[in-house]
């Protein structure tokens, strides 16, 4: 099964991050996801944070260079 997913630099943006967050809520195999350089922004980061509250398998989520400010933390 898939354990690592690298989507760095894919222009996912906030709406895409929201969709990924929904998928991560039911994920049980991914342990590492790289979403660096995807213009996720604060809204997308908030959705991902909510997914992390229920996801117990993910141990690494990389979000570098996504224009996430204080509102997204």
């Amino acid at each position: 099964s898939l354990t690592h997913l690298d989507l760095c630099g894919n222009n996912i943006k906030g709406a895409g991050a929201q969709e990924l967050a929904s998928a991560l809520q039911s994920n049980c195999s991914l342990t590492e996801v790289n979403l660096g350089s995807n213009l996720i922004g604060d809204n997308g980061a908030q959705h991902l944070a909510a997914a992390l509250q229920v996801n117990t398998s993910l141990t690494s989520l990389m979000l570098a260079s996504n224009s996430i400010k204080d509102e997204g933390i």
Side-chain angles (χ1 to χ4, degrees):
S1 65
L2 186 66
T3 59
H4 297 77
L5 182 62
D6 187 348
L7 295 173
C8 184
N10 277 286
N11 204 28
I12 291 170
K13 300 185 180 176
Q18 184 176 355
E19 294 298 324
L20 281 170
S22 293
L24 287 174
Q25 287 181 359
S26 59
N27 163 67
C28 60
S29 64
L30 284 173
T31 58
E32 294 184 21
V33 176
N34 182 357
L35 297 176
S37 301
N38 274 298
L39 302 170
I40 288 172
D42 293 331
N43 190 30
Q46 290 169 352
H47 287 286
L48 291 167
L52 292 178
Q53 292 182 352
V54 295
N55 181 305
T56 57
S57 64
L58 199 63
T59 58
S60 177
L61 177 61
M62 292 163 267
L63 294 171
S65 301
N66 272 297
S67 301
I68 299 169
K69 300 187 177 24
D70 291 342
E71 294 82 19
I73 298 176

Short mmCIF file of all heavy atoms in Angstrom, two decimals:
data_model
loop_
_atom_site.label_atom_id
_atom_site.label_comp_id
_atom_site.label_asym_id
_atom_site.label_seq_id
_atom_site.Cartn_x
_atom_site.Cartn_y
_atom_site.Cartn_z
N SER A 1 0.84 -1.19 0.00
CA SER A 1 0.00 0.00 0.00
C SER A 1 0.88 1.25 0.00
O SER A 1 2.03 1.21 0.41
CB SER A 1 -0.96 -0.01 1.19
OG SER A 1 -0.26 0.08 2.39
N LEU A 2 0.33 2.34 -0.45
CA LEU A 2 1.03 3.60 -0.57
C LEU A 2 1.29 4.20 0.81
O LEU A 2 0.35 4.38 1.60
CB LEU A 2 0.20 4.56 -1.42
CG LEU A 2 0.83 5.90 -1.77
CD1 LEU A 2 2.04 5.71 -2.68
CD2 LEU A 2 -0.19 6.78 -2.46
N THR A 3 2.56 4.52 1.11
CA THR A 3 2.89 5.12 2.40
C THR A 3 3.43 6.54 2.28
O THR A 3 3.34 7.30 3.22
CB THR A 3 3.91 4.26 3.18
OG1 THR A 3 5.10 4.13 2.40
CG2 THR A 3 3.33 2.90 3.51
N HIS A 4 4.00 6.88 1.12
CA HIS A 4 4.57 8.21 0.90
C HIS A 4 3.94 8.82 -0.35
O HIS A 4 3.81 8.15 -1.37
CB HIS A 4 6.08 8.13 0.69
CG HIS A 4 6.83 7.62 1.87
ND1 HIS A 4 6.86 6.29 2.21
CD2 HIS A 4 7.55 8.26 2.80
CE1 HIS A 4 7.59 6.14 3.30
NE2 HIS A 4 8.02 7.32 3.68
N LEU A 5 3.55 10.09 -0.25
CA LEU A 5 2.95 10.80 -1.38
C LEU A 5 3.61 12.16 -1.51
O LEU A 5 3.60 12.96 -0.58
CB LEU A 5 1.44 10.96 -1.15
CG LEU A 5 0.64 11.64 -2.25
CD1 LEU A 5 0.71 10.83 -3.55
CD2 LEU A 5 -0.81 11.81 -1.82
N ASP A 6 4.23 12.42 -2.67
CA ASP A 6 4.91 13.69 -2.92
C ASP A 6 4.14 14.47 -3.99
O ASP A 6 4.18 14.11 -5.16
CB ASP A 6 6.34 13.45 -3.37
CG ASP A 6 7.15 14.73 -3.47
OD1 ASP A 6 6.56 15.83 -3.43
OD2 ASP A 6 8.38 14.64 -3.59
N LEU A 7 3.43 15.51 -3.56
CA LEU A 7 2.67 16.36 -4.48
C LEU A 7 3.25 17.77 -4.52
O LEU A 7 2.55 18.73 -4.83
CB LEU A 7 1.20 16.41 -4.05
CG LEU A 7 0.45 15.09 -4.14
CD1 LEU A 7 -0.94 15.22 -3.52
CD2 LEU A 7 0.36 14.61 -5.57
N CYS A 8 4.52 17.89 -4.24
CA CYS A 8 5.20 19.19 -4.21
C CYS A 8 5.11 19.88 -5.57
O CYS A 8 5.33 19.27 -6.61
CB CYS A 8 6.66 18.96 -3.82
SG CYS A 8 7.61 20.47 -3.63
N GLY A 9 4.76 21.17 -5.54
CA GLY A 9 4.74 21.98 -6.75
C GLY A 9 3.67 21.63 -7.75
O GLY A 9 3.88 21.73 -8.95
N ASN A 10 2.48 21.27 -7.29
CA ASN A 10 1.40 20.88 -8.20
C ASN A 10 0.25 21.88 -8.26
O ASN A 10 -0.82 21.56 -8.77
CB ASN A 10 0.86 19.50 -7.81
CG ASN A 10 1.69 18.40 -8.38
OD1 ASN A 10 1.65 18.11 -9.56
ND2 ASN A 10 2.51 17.77 -7.52
N ASN A 11 0.44 23.08 -7.70
CA ASN A 11 -0.57 24.14 -7.78
C ASN A 11 -1.93 23.68 -7.24
O ASN A 11 -2.98 23.94 -7.83
CB ASN A 11 -0.69 24.62 -9.23
CG ASN A 11 -1.25 26.02 -9.33
OD1 ASN A 11 -1.08 26.83 -8.41
ND2 ASN A 11 -1.90 26.33 -10.43
N ILE A 12 -1.90 22.99 -6.12
CA ILE A 12 -3.11 22.42 -5.51
C ILE A 12 -4.06 23.49 -4.99
O ILE A 12 -5.27 23.36 -5.09
CB ILE A 12 -2.72 21.42 -4.39
CG1 ILE A 12 -2.08 20.20 -5.03
CG2 ILE A 12 -3.91 21.05 -3.54
CD1 ILE A 12 -1.44 19.25 -4.06
N LYS A 13 -3.53 24.54 -4.42
CA LYS A 13 -4.29 25.67 -3.86
C LYS A 13 -5.20 25.23 -2.72
O LYS A 13 -5.22 24.08 -2.31
CB LYS A 13 -5.07 26.40 -4.95
CG LYS A 13 -4.17 26.98 -6.03
CD LYS A 13 -4.93 27.79 -7.02
CE LYS A 13 -3.96 28.33 -8.08
NZ LYS A 13 -4.67 29.04 -9.12
N GLY A 14 -5.96 26.17 -2.18
CA GLY A 14 -6.81 25.93 -1.02
C GLY A 14 -7.91 24.92 -1.26
O GLY A 14 -8.18 24.05 -0.43
N ALA A 15 -8.56 25.01 -2.41
CA ALA A 15 -9.67 24.09 -2.72
C ALA A 15 -9.16 22.65 -2.85
O ALA A 15 -9.80 21.71 -2.37
CB ALA A 15 -10.37 24.51 -4.00
N GLY A 16 -8.01 22.48 -3.46
CA GLY A 16 -7.42 21.15 -3.57
C GLY A 16 -7.00 20.60 -2.22
O GLY A 16 -7.14 19.40 -1.95
N ALA A 17 -6.48 21.48 -1.38
CA ALA A 17 -6.09 21.07 -0.02
C ALA A 17 -7.31 20.61 0.77
O ALA A 17 -7.24 19.67 1.55
CB ALA A 17 -5.38 22.21 0.70
N GLN A 18 -8.43 21.26 0.55
CA GLN A 18 -9.67 20.87 1.22
C GLN A 18 -10.07 19.45 0.80
O GLN A 18 -10.48 18.63 1.62
CB GLN A 18 -10.78 21.86 0.92
CG GLN A 18 -12.07 21.57 1.65
CD GLN A 18 -13.14 22.63 1.41
OE1 GLN A 18 -12.90 23.64 0.76
NE2 GLN A 18 -14.32 22.42 1.96
N GLU A 19 -9.96 19.15 -0.48
CA GLU A 19 -10.28 17.80 -0.98
C GLU A 19 -9.31 16.78 -0.42
O GLU A 19 -9.72 15.68 -0.02
CB GLU A 19 -10.26 17.78 -2.51
CG GLU A 19 -11.34 18.62 -3.15
CD GLU A 19 -12.74 18.15 -2.81
OE1 GLU A 19 -12.97 16.92 -2.70
OE2 GLU A 19 -13.62 19.01 -2.63
N LEU A 20 -8.03 17.13 -0.39
CA LEU A 20 -7.05 16.21 0.18
C LEU A 20 -7.30 15.98 1.67
O LEU A 20 -7.14 14.86 2.17
CB LEU A 20 -5.63 16.77 -0.01
CG LEU A 20 -5.03 16.59 -1.39
CD1 LEU A 20 -3.75 17.40 -1.52
CD2 LEU A 20 -4.74 15.12 -1.64
N ALA A 21 -7.70 17.03 2.36
CA ALA A 21 -8.00 16.90 3.79
C ALA A 21 -9.13 15.91 4.02
O ALA A 21 -9.07 15.09 4.94
CB ALA A 21 -8.35 18.27 4.38
N SER A 22 -10.14 15.95 3.17
CA SER A 22 -11.25 14.99 3.28
C SER A 22 -10.74 13.56 3.09
O SER A 22 -11.14 12.66 3.82
CB SER A 22 -12.32 15.29 2.24
OG SER A 22 -12.94 16.52 2.51
N ALA A 23 -9.86 13.38 2.13
CA ALA A 23 -9.30 12.04 1.88
C ALA A 23 -8.41 11.59 3.04
O ALA A 23 -8.43 10.41 3.42
CB ALA A 23 -8.52 12.04 0.58
N LEU A 24 -7.66 12.51 3.61
CA LEU A 24 -6.77 12.15 4.71
C LEU A 24 -7.52 11.74 5.97
O LEU A 24 -6.99 11.00 6.80
CB LEU A 24 -5.83 13.32 5.04
CG LEU A 24 -4.71 13.57 4.04
CD1 LEU A 24 -3.95 14.84 4.40
CD2 LEU A 24 -3.76 12.38 3.99
N GLN A 25 -8.74 12.18 6.11
CA GLN A 25 -9.52 11.81 7.29
C GLN A 25 -9.78 10.31 7.35
O GLN A 25 -9.87 9.74 8.43
CB GLN A 25 -10.83 12.58 7.34
CG GLN A 25 -10.64 14.03 7.69
CD GLN A 25 -11.94 14.80 7.76
OE1 GLN A 25 -13.01 14.27 7.54
NE2 GLN A 25 -11.84 16.08 8.08
N SER A 26 -9.88 9.67 6.21
CA SER A 26 -10.13 8.23 6.19
C SER A 26 -8.90 7.42 5.79
O SER A 26 -8.97 6.21 5.67
CB SER A 26 -11.29 7.91 5.25
OG SER A 26 -10.99 8.34 3.94
N ASN A 27 -7.78 8.07 5.59
CA ASN A 27 -6.54 7.40 5.22
C ASN A 27 -6.01 6.56 6.37
O ASN A 27 -6.01 6.98 7.52
CB ASN A 27 -5.49 8.46 4.84
CG ASN A 27 -4.10 7.88 4.83
OD1 ASN A 27 -3.79 7.04 4.00
ND2 ASN A 27 -3.28 8.31 5.77
N CYS A 28 -5.54 5.36 6.05
CA CYS A 28 -4.92 4.54 7.09
C CYS A 28 -3.57 3.98 6.65
O CYS A 28 -2.98 3.19 7.37
CB CYS A 28 -5.86 3.43 7.54
SG CYS A 28 -6.34 2.32 6.21
N SER A 29 -3.08 4.39 5.48
CA SER A 29 -1.79 3.85 5.02
C SER A 29 -0.71 4.91 4.83
O SER A 29 0.46 4.63 5.05
CB SER A 29 -1.98 3.07 3.71
OG SER A 29 -2.41 3.92 2.68
N LEU A 30 -1.07 6.11 4.42
CA LEU A 30 -0.06 7.15 4.21
C LEU A 30 0.57 7.56 5.53
O LEU A 30 -0.12 7.81 6.51
CB LEU A 30 -0.67 8.39 3.56
CG LEU A 30 -0.99 8.31 2.07
CD1 LEU A 30 -1.75 9.55 1.63
CD2 LEU A 30 0.27 8.15 1.25
N THR A 31 1.90 7.63 5.53
CA THR A 31 2.61 8.11 6.72
C THR A 31 3.31 9.43 6.45
O THR A 31 3.57 10.18 7.37
CB THR A 31 3.65 7.08 7.20
OG1 THR A 31 4.57 6.81 6.15
CG2 THR A 31 2.96 5.79 7.64
N GLU A 32 3.62 9.72 5.18
CA GLU A 32 4.29 10.97 4.81
C GLU A 32 3.64 11.59 3.58
O GLU A 32 3.42 10.90 2.58
CB GLU A 32 5.77 10.74 4.51
CG GLU A 32 6.58 10.31 5.70
CD GLU A 32 8.06 10.19 5.38
OE1 GLU A 32 8.52 10.78 4.38
OE2 GLU A 32 8.75 9.48 6.12
N VAL A 33 3.34 12.89 3.67
CA VAL A 33 2.78 13.63 2.53
C VAL A 33 3.55 14.94 2.39
O VAL A 33 3.71 15.68 3.36
CB VAL A 33 1.27 13.91 2.72
CG1 VAL A 33 0.73 14.76 1.58
CG2 VAL A 33 0.49 12.61 2.82
N ASN A 34 4.02 15.21 1.18
CA ASN A 34 4.72 16.46 0.89
C ASN A 34 3.81 17.33 0.02
O ASN A 34 3.52 16.98 -1.12
CB ASN A 34 6.04 16.20 0.18
CG ASN A 34 6.82 17.47 -0.09
OD1 ASN A 34 6.37 18.57 0.20
ND2 ASN A 34 8.00 17.32 -0.66
N LEU A 35 3.35 18.43 0.58
CA LEU A 35 2.50 19.38 -0.15
C LEU A 35 3.20 20.72 -0.32
O LEU A 35 2.55 21.74 -0.50
CB LEU A 35 1.17 19.57 0.59
CG LEU A 35 0.29 18.34 0.73
CD1 LEU A 35 -0.94 18.66 1.57
CD2 LEU A 35 -0.13 17.84 -0.63
N GLY A 36 4.51 20.73 -0.28
CA GLY A 36 5.26 21.98 -0.41
C GLY A 36 5.00 22.69 -1.73
O GLY A 36 4.73 22.06 -2.76
N SER A 37 5.06 24.01 -1.70
CA SER A 37 4.94 24.86 -2.90
C SER A 37 3.66 24.60 -3.70
O SER A 37 3.69 24.34 -4.90
CB SER A 37 6.16 24.67 -3.80
OG SER A 37 7.34 24.99 -3.11
N ASN A 38 2.52 24.69 -3.02
CA ASN A 38 1.25 24.44 -3.67
C ASN A 38 0.22 25.55 -3.49
O ASN A 38 -0.96 25.35 -3.80
CB ASN A 38 0.65 23.12 -3.17
CG ASN A 38 1.17 21.94 -3.94
OD1 ASN A 38 0.96 21.84 -5.13
ND2 ASN A 38 1.86 21.05 -3.24
N LEU A 39 0.62 26.70 -2.98
CA LEU A 39 -0.29 27.85 -2.79
C LEU A 39 -1.51 27.48 -1.95
O LEU A 39 -2.62 27.92 -2.22
CB LEU A 39 -0.73 28.41 -4.15
CG LEU A 39 0.39 28.88 -5.09
CD1 LEU A 39 -0.16 29.17 -6.47
CD2 LEU A 39 1.11 30.08 -4.52
N ILE A 40 -1.30 26.67 -0.93
CA ILE A 40 -2.41 26.18 -0.10
C ILE A 40 -3.06 27.30 0.71
O ILE A 40 -4.27 27.33 0.85
CB ILE A 40 -1.93 25.02 0.80
CG1 ILE A 40 -1.71 23.79 -0.08
CG2 ILE A 40 -2.90 24.74 1.92
CD1 ILE A 40 -1.05 22.63 0.63
N GLY A 41 -2.28 28.19 1.25
CA GLY A 41 -2.82 29.32 2.01
C GLY A 41 -3.42 28.92 3.34
O GLY A 41 -3.43 27.76 3.74
N ASP A 42 -3.95 29.93 4.04
CA ASP A 42 -4.49 29.73 5.39
C ASP A 42 -5.71 28.81 5.41
O ASP A 42 -5.83 27.92 6.26
CB ASP A 42 -4.86 31.07 6.02
CG ASP A 42 -3.64 31.93 6.29
OD1 ASP A 42 -2.55 31.37 6.52
OD2 ASP A 42 -3.77 33.16 6.26
N ASN A 43 -6.64 29.01 4.49
CA ASN A 43 -7.86 28.20 4.47
C ASN A 43 -7.55 26.73 4.25
O ASN A 43 -8.07 25.85 4.94
CB ASN A 43 -8.83 28.73 3.41
CG ASN A 43 -10.19 28.10 3.51
OD1 ASN A 43 -10.63 27.72 4.58
ND2 ASN A 43 -10.87 27.98 2.38
N GLY A 44 -6.69 26.45 3.29
CA GLY A 44 -6.31 25.06 3.03
C GLY A 44 -5.60 24.44 4.22
O GLY A 44 -5.83 23.28 4.55
N ALA A 45 -4.75 25.22 4.88
CA ALA A 45 -4.03 24.73 6.05
C ALA A 45 -4.99 24.40 7.19
O ALA A 45 -4.80 23.42 7.91
CB ALA A 45 -3.00 25.76 6.51
N GLN A 46 -6.02 25.20 7.34
CA GLN A 46 -7.01 24.94 8.39
C GLN A 46 -7.74 23.62 8.14
O GLN A 46 -8.01 22.85 9.07
CB GLN A 46 -8.00 26.09 8.49
CG GLN A 46 -7.38 27.35 9.06
CD GLN A 46 -8.27 28.57 8.92
OE1 GLN A 46 -9.31 28.54 8.28
NE2 GLN A 46 -7.85 29.67 9.53
N HIS A 47 -8.06 23.33 6.89
CA HIS A 47 -8.72 22.06 6.55
C HIS A 47 -7.79 20.88 6.81
O HIS A 47 -8.22 19.84 7.33
CB HIS A 47 -9.19 22.06 5.10
CG HIS A 47 -10.37 22.92 4.85
ND1 HIS A 47 -11.64 22.57 5.24
CD2 HIS A 47 -10.49 24.13 4.26
CE1 HIS A 47 -12.49 23.52 4.91
NE2 HIS A 47 -11.81 24.48 4.30
N LEU A 48 -6.52 21.05 6.46
CA LEU A 48 -5.56 19.98 6.71
C LEU A 48 -5.38 19.74 8.21
O LEU A 48 -5.29 18.60 8.66
CB LEU A 48 -4.22 20.31 6.05
CG LEU A 48 -4.22 20.26 4.53
CD1 LEU A 48 -2.97 20.91 3.97
CD2 LEU A 48 -4.34 18.82 4.04
N ALA A 49 -5.36 20.81 8.98
CA ALA A 49 -5.23 20.68 10.44
C ALA A 49 -6.41 19.91 11.02
O ALA A 49 -6.23 19.07 11.91
CB ALA A 49 -5.12 22.06 11.08
N ALA A 50 -7.60 20.16 10.52
CA ALA A 50 -8.78 19.43 11.00
C ALA A 50 -8.66 17.95 10.66
O ALA A 50 -9.04 17.09 11.47
CB ALA A 50 -10.04 20.03 10.38
N ALA A 51 -8.12 17.64 9.49
CA ALA A 51 -7.95 16.23 9.10
C ALA A 51 -6.95 15.53 10.01
O ALA A 51 -7.12 14.35 10.35
CB ALA A 51 -7.49 16.15 7.65
N LEU A 52 -5.94 16.25 10.44
CA LEU A 52 -4.92 15.65 11.32
C LEU A 52 -5.48 15.29 12.69
O LEU A 52 -4.92 14.44 13.38
CB LEU A 52 -3.73 16.61 11.48
CG LEU A 52 -2.90 16.83 10.23
CD1 LEU A 52 -1.78 17.84 10.50
CD2 LEU A 52 -2.33 15.52 9.72
N GLN A 53 -6.56 15.90 13.07
CA GLN A 53 -7.16 15.58 14.36
C GLN A 53 -7.78 14.18 14.37
O GLN A 53 -7.93 13.59 15.44
CB GLN A 53 -8.19 16.63 14.75
CG GLN A 53 -7.55 17.97 15.05
CD GLN A 53 -8.57 19.01 15.48
OE1 GLN A 53 -9.76 18.81 15.42
NE2 GLN A 53 -8.07 20.16 15.92
N VAL A 54 -8.12 13.65 13.20
CA VAL A 54 -8.70 12.31 13.14
C VAL A 54 -7.78 11.28 12.48
O VAL A 54 -7.96 10.09 12.65
CB VAL A 54 -10.07 12.30 12.42
CG1 VAL A 54 -11.10 13.08 13.21
CG2 VAL A 54 -9.96 12.84 11.02
N ASN A 55 -6.79 11.74 11.74
CA ASN A 55 -5.86 10.83 11.07
C ASN A 55 -4.78 10.39 12.07
O ASN A 55 -4.07 11.22 12.62
CB ASN A 55 -5.22 11.53 9.87
CG ASN A 55 -4.26 10.64 9.12
OD1 ASN A 55 -3.34 10.09 9.69
ND2 ASN A 55 -4.50 10.50 7.84
N THR A 56 -4.65 9.09 12.26
CA THR A 56 -3.66 8.59 13.22
C THR A 56 -2.44 7.96 12.56
O THR A 56 -1.49 7.61 13.24
CB THR A 56 -4.31 7.56 14.16
OG1 THR A 56 -4.85 6.50 13.38
CG2 THR A 56 -5.41 8.19 15.00
N SER A 57 -2.44 7.81 11.24
CA SER A 57 -1.31 7.16 10.56
C SER A 57 -0.28 8.15 10.02
O SER A 57 0.89 7.80 9.88
CB SER A 57 -1.81 6.27 9.43
OG SER A 57 -2.45 7.04 8.44
N LEU A 58 -0.68 9.37 9.73
CA LEU A 58 0.23 10.34 9.14
C LEU A 58 1.21 10.86 10.19
O LEU A 58 0.81 11.35 11.24
CB LEU A 58 -0.57 11.51 8.55
CG LEU A 58 0.14 12.38 7.53
CD1 LEU A 58 0.52 11.58 6.29
CD2 LEU A 58 -0.74 13.55 7.13
N THR A 59 2.49 10.71 9.92
CA THR A 59 3.52 11.18 10.86
C THR A 59 4.29 12.38 10.33
O THR A 59 4.98 13.04 11.09
CB THR A 59 4.52 10.05 11.19
OG1 THR A 59 5.13 9.60 9.98
CG2 THR A 59 3.81 8.89 11.89
N SER A 60 4.18 12.68 9.03
CA SER A 60 4.90 13.80 8.46
C SER A 60 4.05 14.47 7.38
O SER A 60 3.61 13.82 6.43
CB SER A 60 6.22 13.32 7.84
OG SER A 60 6.91 14.38 7.21
N LEU A 61 3.82 15.76 7.55
CA LEU A 61 3.09 16.57 6.56
C LEU A 61 3.93 17.81 6.29
O LEU A 61 4.09 18.67 7.14
CB LEU A 61 1.71 16.96 7.08
CG LEU A 61 0.87 17.85 6.17
CD1 LEU A 61 0.60 17.17 4.84
CD2 LEU A 61 -0.44 18.23 6.86
N MET A 62 4.50 17.89 5.10
CA MET A 62 5.38 18.99 4.73
C MET A 62 4.57 20.07 4.00
O MET A 62 3.92 19.78 3.00
CB MET A 62 6.52 18.47 3.88
CG MET A 62 7.47 17.59 4.68
SD MET A 62 8.54 16.56 3.65
CE MET A 62 7.54 15.07 3.57
N LEU A 63 4.63 21.29 4.53
CA LEU A 63 3.83 22.40 3.98
C LEU A 63 4.66 23.63 3.68
O LEU A 63 4.13 24.73 3.64
CB LEU A 63 2.72 22.76 4.99
CG LEU A 63 1.66 21.71 5.24
CD1 LEU A 63 0.77 22.10 6.41
CD2 LEU A 63 0.83 21.49 4.00
N ALA A 64 5.93 23.48 3.43
CA ALA A 64 6.81 24.63 3.17
C ALA A 64 6.37 25.39 1.93
O ALA A 64 5.83 24.82 0.97
CB ALA A 64 8.25 24.14 2.99
N SER A 65 6.55 26.70 1.95
CA SER A 65 6.31 27.57 0.80
C SER A 65 4.87 27.50 0.30
O SER A 65 4.60 27.29 -0.87
CB SER A 65 7.27 27.24 -0.34
OG SER A 65 8.61 27.38 0.07
N ASN A 66 3.93 27.69 1.22
CA ASN A 66 2.51 27.66 0.87
C ASN A 66 1.75 28.91 1.29
O ASN A 66 0.52 28.90 1.34
CB ASN A 66 1.85 26.43 1.50
CG ASN A 66 1.95 25.23 0.61
OD1 ASN A 66 1.42 25.22 -0.49
ND2 ASN A 66 2.65 24.20 1.07
N SER A 67 2.45 29.98 1.60
CA SER A 67 1.81 31.25 1.99
C SER A 67 0.85 31.06 3.17
O SER A 67 -0.23 31.62 3.20
CB SER A 67 1.06 31.88 0.82
OG SER A 67 1.95 32.13 -0.25
N ILE A 68 1.27 30.25 4.13
CA ILE A 68 0.47 30.04 5.34
C ILE A 68 0.93 31.02 6.40
O ILE A 68 2.10 31.06 6.75
CB ILE A 68 0.61 28.58 5.85
CG1 ILE A 68 0.12 27.62 4.77
CG2 ILE A 68 -0.16 28.40 7.15
CD1 ILE A 68 0.45 26.16 5.05
N LYS A 69 -0.01 31.82 6.88
CA LYS A 69 0.30 32.83 7.89
C LYS A 69 -0.32 32.40 9.21
O LYS A 69 -0.76 31.28 9.36
CB LYS A 69 -0.24 34.18 7.42
CG LYS A 69 0.39 34.63 6.10
CD LYS A 69 -0.01 36.02 5.74
CE LYS A 69 0.62 36.55 4.49
NZ LYS A 69 1.09 35.66 3.47
N ASP A 70 -0.38 33.30 10.18
CA ASP A 70 -0.89 32.98 11.51
C ASP A 70 -2.31 32.41 11.48
O ASP A 70 -2.66 31.54 12.26
CB ASP A 70 -0.87 34.21 12.41
CG ASP A 70 0.53 34.64 12.79
OD1 ASP A 70 1.47 33.80 12.64
OD2 ASP A 70 0.72 35.77 13.22
N GLU A 71 -3.15 32.89 10.56
CA GLU A 71 -4.54 32.43 10.49
C GLU A 71 -4.63 30.96 10.10
O GLU A 71 -5.62 30.29 10.40
CB GLU A 71 -5.35 33.26 9.49
CG GLU A 71 -5.53 34.71 9.89
CD GLU A 71 -4.32 35.58 9.53
OE1 GLU A 71 -3.49 35.18 8.68
OE2 GLU A 71 -4.17 36.66 10.12
N GLY A 72 -3.62 30.44 9.45
CA GLY A 72 -3.62 29.06 8.99
C GLY A 72 -3.03 28.08 9.98
O GLY A 72 -3.03 26.87 9.74
N ILE A 73 -2.54 28.60 11.07
CA ILE A 73 -1.88 27.72 12.06
C ILE A 73 -2.85 27.31 13.14
O ILE A 73 -3.62 28.04 13.63
CB ILE A 73 -0.64 28.40 12.65
CG1 ILE A 73 0.35 28.68 11.54
CG2 ILE A 73 -0.01 27.53 13.72
CD1 ILE A 73 1.57 29.43 11.96
#
